């Protein structure tokens, strides 16, 4: 099974053909969406330039994506209430996807959100979506706790006889097409 992690440049390119207005609307839909039955997209605020690409890919495969950036229930400044609401949002969501970059591990919130998702969703409903700086620079995404989760990749899938977005379980060397995983 030949797979590739997506680069940050590719992630930005997925929405480059969209007008600025369409890009804003894409992100606004994710910010305004209720987390119930949605896919919670966790990300570092330092990666805001690649978030629209991740949203476009997930929505293109049937996900209703939620991000917390403009959730009206969240207080304007981070607090205990922010943590309580995010905990509830992760519990309400159907799936949890971590947009994983080198910035993710440095975030104060991202590892905490992933830990909550692990407990609430069980690993079958959690996936890491790596966005690497360079195609060959992916070892960080295999380290420590990130390595135990399935990951969203682009590659050859034997069942479909074509290159598709899929959720890869590296331990079992199996993959599920992304749209199927999002529906499960």
């Amino acid at each position: 099974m030949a797979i590739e992690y997506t680069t940050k440049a590719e992630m930005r390119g997925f929405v480059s053909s969209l007008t600025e207005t369409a890009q804003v609307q894409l992100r606004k839909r994710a910010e305004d969406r209720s987390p119930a039955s949605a896919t919670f997209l966790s990300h570092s605020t330092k990666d805001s330039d690649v978030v629209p690409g991740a949203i476009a890919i997930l929505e293109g495969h049937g996900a209703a994506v939620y991000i917390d950036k403009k959730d009206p229930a969240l207080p304007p400044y981070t607090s205990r209430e922010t943590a309580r609401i995010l905990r509830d949002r992760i519990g309400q969501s159907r799936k949890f996807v971590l947009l994983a970059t080198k910035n993710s591990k440095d975030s104060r919130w991202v590892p905490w959100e992933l830990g909550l998702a692990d407990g609430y969703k069980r690993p079958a409903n959690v996936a890491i979506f790596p966005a690497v700086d360079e195609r060959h620079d992916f070892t960080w995404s295999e380290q420590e706790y990130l390595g135990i989760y399935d990951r969203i990749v682009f590659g050859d899938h034997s069942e479909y006889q074509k290159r598709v977005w899929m959720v890869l379980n590296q331990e079992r060397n199996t993959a599920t097409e992304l749209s199927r995983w999002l529906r499960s």
Side-chain angles (χ1 to χ4, degrees), residues 17-59:
S17 61
L18 299 176
T19 65
E20 191 172 321
T21 301
Q23 289 182 39
V24 168
Q25 289 172 340
L26 177 77
R27 191 168 182 126
K28 185 160 178 37
R29 277 196 312 270
E31 292 168 348
D32 291 344
R33 187 163 281 128
S34 165
S37 76
T39 297
F40 189 106
L41 180 60
S42 177
H43 63 282
S44 168
T45 56
K46 293 179 181 177
D47 293 321
S48 62
D49 60 325
V50 295
V51 168
I55 294 169
I57 292 165
L58 293 169
E59 284 189 350

Side-chain angles (χ1 to χ4, degrees), residues 9 42 65 83 89 93 106 108 112 128 154 167-168 172 178:
S42 177
V65 178
R89 298 292 190 251
S93 65
D106 295 332
R108 290 183 298 169
W112 179 76
I128 304 297
F154 188 73
V167 178
L168 173 69
R172 293 190 308 248
L178 179 58

Side-chain angles (χ1 to χ4, degrees), residues 86-92 115-122 125:
L86 287 176
R87 182 185 61 210
D88 291 347
R89 298 292 190 251
I90 291 168
Q92 294 166 349
L116 285 173
D118 183 87
Y120 285 143
K121 305 282 151 238
R122 297 286 149 217
N125 292 309

Side-chain angles (χ1 to χ4, degrees), residues 38-113:
T39 297
F40 189 106
L41 180 60
S42 177
H43 63 282
S44 168
T45 56
K46 293 179 181 177
D47 293 321
S48 62
D49 60 325
V50 295
V51 168
I55 294 169
I57 292 165
L58 293 169
E59 284 189 350
H61 288 83
V65 178
Y66 167 85
I67 58 173
D68 60 359
K69 182 81 175 158
K70 299 278 185 186
D71 186 330
L74 290 171
Y77 301 100
T78 55
S79 65
R80 295 169 86 180
E81 181 67 6
T82 304
R84 187 191 63 73
I85 292 170
L86 287 176
R87 182 185 61 210
D88 291 347
R89 298 292 190 251
I90 291 168
Q92 294 166 349
S93 65
R94 287 191 68 250
K95 299 283 186 179
F96 180 93
V97 173
L98 167 59
L99 178 60
T101 69
K102 287 182 178 179
N103 295 322
S104 303
K105 287 172 60 173
D106 295 332
S107 167
R108 290 183 298 169
W109 289 96
V110 169
W112 179 76
E113 290 172 350

